[in-house]
Amino acid sequence: RAPLLPLAVAHPMPEDDEEAAARERAQRYIKFGTVTEKNVEQLRKLNLAVFPVRYNDKFYSDLASAPSQAYTHLAYFNDILVGAICCRIEPQEGAAFKLYIMTIGVLAPYRRLGIGTQLLKQVLHACALEPNLQELYLHVQTSNSDAIDFYTRFGFSQGEVIKDYYKRIEPPDAVLLHRVAPFPVLSKEEQPARYA
């Protein structure tokens, strides 16, 4: 089984005025949607371009047929798929569950436009609306300080380091990042436009 690699999103750095203005202009072209059987192959191609591992057919069929799409989102720039966040529900005792962030990635030319941030905020918002959610968590390669910083800004805490978590990438160790309630609720103005 291929390891699940979260986050291929650039870490925001201080912006100059020109970069901030370009980011603001880009927002009108960014829309969001859900995974369906009709677009799941686009997601497969996106992941092939963004991540150093291949995900199996079951990964994609499970996403397309998931009963809830609240935790998996696609990001489009001018109607082109450029990013995605994919999460897995892990049932616990009773109605309780945990949520695992399997992947979050944005194509390199579209990074630093806030797409990864918006994808994660959508998942955090969905978490806030679910009283039975106990925890949101993921694994990040120990050398990926940008990803660790990104999640820390959203209230994730670092947990244990898991030796040899990854099989085909160096370094092979992962750090566990997790966040528990309360999760942030997006205001009406912060909620992104849906992809029609």
Side-chain angles (χ1 to χ4, degrees):
R1 176 176 148 224
L4 303 174
L5 297 176
L7 196 66
V9 179
H11 176 66
M13 297 178 183
E15 296 180 324
D16 59 25
D17 291 341
E18 188 175 312
E19 186 175 312
R23 183 181 181 134
E24 183 63 33
R25 283 191 308 274
Q27 296 311 301
R28 74 180 117 161
Y29 299 106
I30 300 169
K31 303 273 189 246
F32 297 90
T34 57
V35 176
T36 67
E37 289 183 17
K38 292 181 179 181
N39 64 19
V40 73
E41 287 305 313
Q42 289 179 21
L43 175 61
R44 183 188 305 265
K45 288 177 182 172
L46 174 81
N47 285 349
L48 284 170
V50 172
F51 300 112
V53 297
R54 290 179 182 254
Y55 296 97
N56 61 29
D57 291 341
K58 185 174 178 352
F59 175 89
Y60 296 102
S61 62
D62 287 353
L63 286 172
S65 63
S68 172
Q69 290 290 321
Y71 310 110
T72 296
H73 301 278
L74 304 178
Y76 295 88
F77 188 92
N78 207 19
D79 296 332
I80 298 168
L81 181 63
V82 298
I85 186 167
C86 302
C87 300
R88 175 181 69 225
I89 294 172
E90 297 179 346
Q92 302 296 303
E93 195 171 315
F97 68 96
K98 291 182 179 182
L99 192 65
Y100 182 72
I101 300 176
M102 298 185 293
T103 63
I104 178 173
V106 177
L107 290 173
Y110 300 92
R111 294 180 190 159
R112 300 196 44 79
L113 296 177
I115 294 170
T117 294
Q118 290 179 59
L119 287 165
L120 182 58
K121 281 182 175 182
Q122 286 185 61
V123 168
L124 289 169
H125 178 75
C127 291
L129 303 176
E130 181 49 69
N132 294 318
L133 180 62
Q134 295 177 330
E135 180 182 27
L136 175 61
Y137 75 106
L138 67 148
H139 295 90
V140 173
Q141 195 173 16
T142 54
S143 62
N144 193 343
S145 58
D146 286 346
I148 294 167
D149 291 346
F150 175 81
Y151 286 107
T152 302
R153 284 196 338 253
F154 287 97
F156 284 77
S157 300
Q158 290 187 42
E160 67 179 306
V161 171
I162 299 145
K163 296 287 185 192
D164 299 318
Y165 180 78
Y166 299 109
K167 303 298 179 223
R168 295 184 192 107
I169 57 175
E170 288 294 329
D173 304 334
V175 62
L176 180 68
L177 300 176
H178 62 96
R179 178 174 177 156
V180 296
F183 298 101
V185 176
L186 297 178
S187 69
K188 235 5 173 189
E189 297 78 37
E190 292 175 304
Q191 292 179 21
R194 302 304 301 166
Y195 183 73

